[in-house]
Amino acid sequence: MDNPRVAVIVEDDQDIRELISVILNQSGFEVHAASTGATGVEAVRLNNPAVVTLDLGLPDIDGFEVARQIRLFSDAYIIMLTGRADEMDTLMGLETGADDYLTKPFRPRELRARISAMMRRPRFAGDGLPAAAAAAAPPAVTAPSESTSGPASGTSEGAASSQGMNSTGNGASASIPKAVNGLVLNSGDRTAEVDGTELELTRTEFDLLHALVDSGKQVRTKSDLVRRLRGEEYDVGSYISDADERTIEVHVANLRRKLGDNPREPRWIKTVRGVGYRLVH
Ligand code: CA
């Protein structure tokens, strides 16, 4: 199982490597750093981290290939760091295996916020970890993201699965699957199926889809969705950048590709121009 206190940094720029190292150290991580893709994969294999920060442009193999190799044996959260905002465009529609993306330069607090949000979200089932890991996860850590259906929706199912999580420490038995147009979402074991075929979603993609399904016809703004991923139940005034919103677009593009959903004639996710997204009903 992943070690929740270990992080691996894969970054060829020494200054950035040291910056990330300091940030992660301050966040309580034992940090291992690598300056090439190949040594990065080895560092992940050796140290079994919970979090990997991965530079896209590396001297030997690129970040995509590193992520692919890491995903063969590790369930670590991967944050991919891109050099330029427009590189985010190339991430759309690509299977990267990353859980999140961040554009350089970034503020230390941005990286900290992303990582702590990821650590608050459930990290079990649907991504290869045994059910025992779910039971072992402290309810205080898993509960917030399960209960973030938010003031906009507040479905009773969401509340029920959240309570199940708190009382048993394992939401799998308590949650009720949700079905929309042949899509079945099970928040207990964090699985998603379309017409009976299970989807391979990243945790972020699952959480976004869950947020949209929870909201029904209600539009979720991109800022809303950023907050949801951070595990914030409502607007607590935290800073949301354009890059944060751009990241949501990348995740939604990847999600649509995996769902086989056509943005022009969506079966599930409808773009509300200039606002955000909502479910098709
Ligand atoms: Ca680089």
Side-chain angles (χ1 to χ4, degrees), residues 11-13 55-59 104:
E11 170 65 65
D12 61 328
D13 182 305
D55 182 25
L56 187 56
L58 292 163
K104 292 186 277 189

PDB file of all heavy atoms in Angstrom, residues 11-13 55-59 104, ligand 1:
ATOM      1  N   GLU A  11      11.626  15.968 -11.522  1.00  0.00           N
ATOM      2  CA  GLU A  11      11.767  17.341 -12.043  1.00  0.00           C
ATOM      3  C   GLU A  11      13.229  17.567 -12.403  1.00  0.00           C
ATOM      4  O   GLU A  11      14.106  17.340 -11.571  1.00  0.00           O
ATOM      5  CB  GLU A  11      11.294  18.310 -10.942  1.00  0.00           C
ATOM      6  CG  GLU A  11      11.584  19.762 -11.191  1.00  0.00           C
ATOM      7  CD  GLU A  11      10.842  20.312 -12.384  1.00  0.00           C
ATOM      8  OE1 GLU A  11       9.609  20.376 -12.346  1.00  0.00           O
ATOM      9  OE2 GLU A  11      11.518  20.656 -13.378  1.00  0.00           O
ATOM     10  N   ASP A  12      13.498  18.008 -13.637  1.00  0.00           N
ATOM     11  CA  ASP A  12      14.897  18.178 -14.043  1.00  0.00           C
ATOM     12  C   ASP A  12      15.456  19.555 -13.698  1.00  0.00           C
ATOM     13  O   ASP A  12      16.663  19.736 -13.644  1.00  0.00           O
ATOM     14  CB  ASP A  12      15.075  17.878 -15.546  1.00  0.00           C
ATOM     15  CG  ASP A  12      14.260  18.818 -16.411  1.00  0.00           C
ATOM     16  OD1 ASP A  12      13.178  19.239 -15.962  1.00  0.00           O
ATOM     17  OD2 ASP A  12      14.693  19.107 -17.538  1.00  0.00           O
ATOM     18  N   ASP A  13      14.579  20.526 -13.442  1.00  0.00           N
ATOM     19  CA  ASP A  13      15.064  21.860 -13.079  1.00  0.00           C
ATOM     20  C   ASP A  13      15.368  21.887 -11.583  1.00  0.00           C
ATOM     21  O   ASP A  13      14.477  21.704 -10.750  1.00  0.00           O
ATOM     22  CB  ASP A  13      13.983  22.897 -13.425  1.00  0.00           C
ATOM     23  CG  ASP A  13      14.435  24.324 -13.131  1.00  0.00           C
ATOM     24  OD1 ASP A  13      14.840  24.604 -11.979  1.00  0.00           O
ATOM     25  OD2 ASP A  13      14.379  25.155 -14.053  1.00  0.00           O
ATOM     26  N   ASP A  55       7.112  16.419 -13.681  1.00  0.00           N
ATOM     27  CA  ASP A  55       7.334  17.420 -14.725  1.00  0.00           C
ATOM     28  C   ASP A  55       7.033  16.783 -16.085  1.00  0.00           C
ATOM     29  O   ASP A  55       7.358  15.624 -16.318  1.00  0.00           O
ATOM     30  CB  ASP A  55       8.803  17.862 -14.652  1.00  0.00           C
ATOM     31  CG  ASP A  55       9.135  18.948 -15.655  1.00  0.00           C
ATOM     32  OD1 ASP A  55       8.215  19.677 -16.067  1.00  0.00           O
ATOM     33  OD2 ASP A  55      10.322  19.057 -16.015  1.00  0.00           O
ATOM     34  N   LEU A  56       6.409  17.552 -16.955  1.00  0.00           N
ATOM     35  CA  LEU A  56       6.073  17.010 -18.278  1.00  0.00           C
ATOM     36  C   LEU A  56       7.316  16.914 -19.160  1.00  0.00           C
ATOM     37  O   LEU A  56       7.536  15.916 -19.840  1.00  0.00           O
ATOM     38  CB  LEU A  56       5.015  17.902 -18.943  1.00  0.00           C
ATOM     39  CG  LEU A  56       4.409  17.418 -20.248  1.00  0.00           C
ATOM     40  CD1 LEU A  56       3.794  16.038 -20.103  1.00  0.00           C
ATOM     41  CD2 LEU A  56       3.342  18.397 -20.717  1.00  0.00           C
ATOM     42  N   GLY A  57       8.162  17.947 -19.119  1.00  0.00           N
ATOM     43  CA  GLY A  57       9.357  17.961 -19.971  1.00  0.00           C
ATOM     44  C   GLY A  57      10.583  17.483 -19.209  1.00  0.00           C
ATOM     45  O   GLY A  57      11.135  18.215 -18.390  1.00  0.00           O
ATOM     46  N   LEU A  58      11.007  16.264 -19.475  1.00  0.00           N
ATOM     47  CA  LEU A  58      12.165  15.684 -18.798  1.00  0.00           C
ATOM     48  C   LEU A  58      13.219  15.323 -19.842  1.00  0.00           C
ATOM     49  O   LEU A  58      12.893  15.135 -21.014  1.00  0.00           O
ATOM     50  CB  LEU A  58      11.743  14.430 -18.012  1.00  0.00           C
ATOM     51  CG  LEU A  58      10.830  14.694 -16.806  1.00  0.00           C
ATOM     52  CD1 LEU A  58      10.139  13.419 -16.349  1.00  0.00           C
ATOM     53  CD2 LEU A  58      11.628  15.316 -15.666  1.00  0.00           C
ATOM     54  N   PRO A  59      14.485  15.224 -19.440  1.00  0.00           N
ATOM     55  CA  PRO A  59      15.550  15.034 -20.435  1.00  0.00           C
ATOM     56  C   PRO A  59      15.529  13.660 -21.133  1.00  0.00           C
ATOM     57  O   PRO A  59      15.972  13.561 -22.270  1.00  0.00           O
ATOM     58  CB  PRO A  59      16.835  15.207 -19.619  1.00  0.00           C
ATOM     59  CG  PRO A  59      16.436  15.008 -18.200  1.00  0.00           C
ATOM     60  CD  PRO A  59      15.020  15.442 -18.091  1.00  0.00           C
ATOM     61  N   LYS A 104       3.347  25.721 -14.369  1.00  0.00           N
ATOM     62  CA  LYS A 104       4.461  26.474 -13.795  1.00  0.00           C
ATOM     63  C   LYS A 104       4.530  27.857 -14.442  1.00  0.00           C
ATOM     64  O   LYS A 104       4.257  27.961 -15.636  1.00  0.00           O
ATOM     65  CB  LYS A 104       5.788  25.728 -14.053  1.00  0.00           C
ATOM     66  CG  LYS A 104       5.895  24.436 -13.290  1.00  0.00           C
ATOM     67  CD  LYS A 104       7.262  23.812 -13.441  1.00  0.00           C
ATOM     68  CE  LYS A 104       7.368  23.019 -14.717  1.00  0.00           C
ATOM     69  NZ  LYS A 104       8.617  22.214 -14.798  1.00  0.00           N
TER      70      LYS A 104
HETATM   71 CA    CA B   1      11.503  20.215 -17.238  1.00  0.00          CA
END
